[in-house]
Amino acid sequence: MSDSHTHEPNRMLAISPAQAFVRFAIDSGVLRFGDFTTKAGRQSPYFFNAGLFNDGHKLLQLAQFYANAIVASGIQFDMVFGPAYKGIVLAAAVSMELARLGRNVPFAYNRKEAKDHGEGGTLVGAPLEGRVLIIDDVISAGTAVRESIAIISAAGATPYALAIALDRQEKATENGRDVPHSAVQYVQNALGLQVCKVATLADILGVLEHDADSGHLAQYRDRVQAYRQQYGV
């Protein structure tokens, strides 16, 4: 048997669950490399668009990665909340996968605009109560998290933790200026929430390093590393 046949399984076994998620995101076209402008106006060599997890199979795999990361984190919570709009699908899908893993919890989400008929209001799903895990894709400034915290607190529940797909591990911006902490660090330190991350920028670099010798991703490694050195925390 040739080396190519014996090497590939070992290569796959060597990567972490987070790096497996990065590869999945790349294969799904969700994580792309090139030239992109972030909300903060930075020129980024990579872009993560969770909206492209847009078919049943991808969503199923995404929910599995989230649920496994949440269980592995050991975070204790009583229910799941999905902020409109991307968080709605994520909360529903992750709740189903958690139930499959034996952790059946209620979930709820909000509307952007209040409904004035039927059940009314802005909240849909289970009543918000106990320790609430917020599920979203990525955070760049913490604004959406603060909005979720306000909704959860107003309902008498406890905003307790946040689960996201990717932590960019880069400096946040305030009033157009870089600050020494990331959005995730802000959520942890200023807002007091535990944060579960399916993957981080370090995991992206780990995958690029893994492909350093012969993979097609190797060409992006130096640029992503330079971006991390400039903006990383």
Side-chain angles (χ1 to χ4, degrees):
M1 185 176 289
S2 68
D3 289 342
S4 63
H5 289 294
T6 57
H7 177 67
E8 186 64 21
N10 292 333
R11 179 171 178 261
M12 295 307 294
L13 288 173
I15 68 173
S16 67
Q19 290 177 349
F21 172 73
V22 171
R23 289 189 181 278
F24 163 59
I26 292 170
D27 292 342
S28 300
V30 170
L31 176 58
R32 292 181 290 156
F33 299 95
D35 295 294
F36 307 95
T37 303
T38 69
K39 288 183 179 179
R42 297 170 183 160
Q43 293 304 119
S44 173
Y46 74 97
F47 182 65
F48 184 87
N49 181 4
L52 296 178
F53 289 121
N54 55 11
D55 64 38
H57 185 62
K58 291 174 187 174
L59 184 59
L60 173 61
Q61 290 183 278
L62 176 63
Q64 290 171 343
F65 277 112
Y66 264 102
N68 288 333
I70 290 167
V71 171
S73 75
I75 294 173
Q76 300 299 309
F77 59 96
D78 300 305
M79 68 175 298
V80 165
F81 176 77
Y85 287 102
K86 287 181 182 177
I88 296 174
V89 174
L90 293 174
V94 174
S95 293
M96 287 188 286
E97 182 59 21
L98 285 170
R100 195 186 67 81
L101 295 176
R103 182 79 167 88
N104 186 33
V105 294
F107 77 94
Y109 58 89
N110 70 300
R111 300 185 180 98
K112 288 287 189 180
E113 297 180 358
K115 187 178 178 182
D116 59 5
H117 60 280
E119 74 277 17
T122 59
L123 292 173
V124 183
L128 284 170
E129 55 188 15
R131 299 164 297 181
V132 181
L133 171 67
I134 303 165
I135 299 187
D136 214 340
D137 54 354
V138 295
I139 56 172
S140 56
T143 304
V145 179
R146 289 196 298 270
E147 292 174 354
S148 294
I149 287 174
I151 292 169
I152 293 165
S153 298
T158 303
Y160 193 72
L162 169 71
I164 57 173
L166 179 67
D167 177 5
R168 289 181 62 98
Q169 295 182 304
E170 66 181 72
K171 297 173 184 177
T173 57
E174 294 178 4
N175 300 317
R177 295 184 178 182
D178 293 347
V179 293
H181 58 261
S182 70
V184 166
Q185 289 172 331
Y186 172 78
V187 168
Q188 291 173 316
N189 300 328
L191 302 182
L193 271 61
Q194 298 182 57
V195 180
C196 171
K197 300 158 284 189
V198 178
T200 67
L201 177 56
D203 297 311
I204 293 176
L205 278 166
V207 169
L208 297 181
E209 287 287 348
H210 221 278
D211 276 25
D213 294 332
S214 58
H216 71 284
L217 299 176
Q219 60 184 304
Y220 306 111
R221 179 188 56 177
D222 291 345
R223 290 187 59 206
V224 175
Q225 182 63 55
Y227 184 84
R228 187 185 189 190
Q229 289 175 347
Q230 183 174 3
Y231 296 112
V233 293

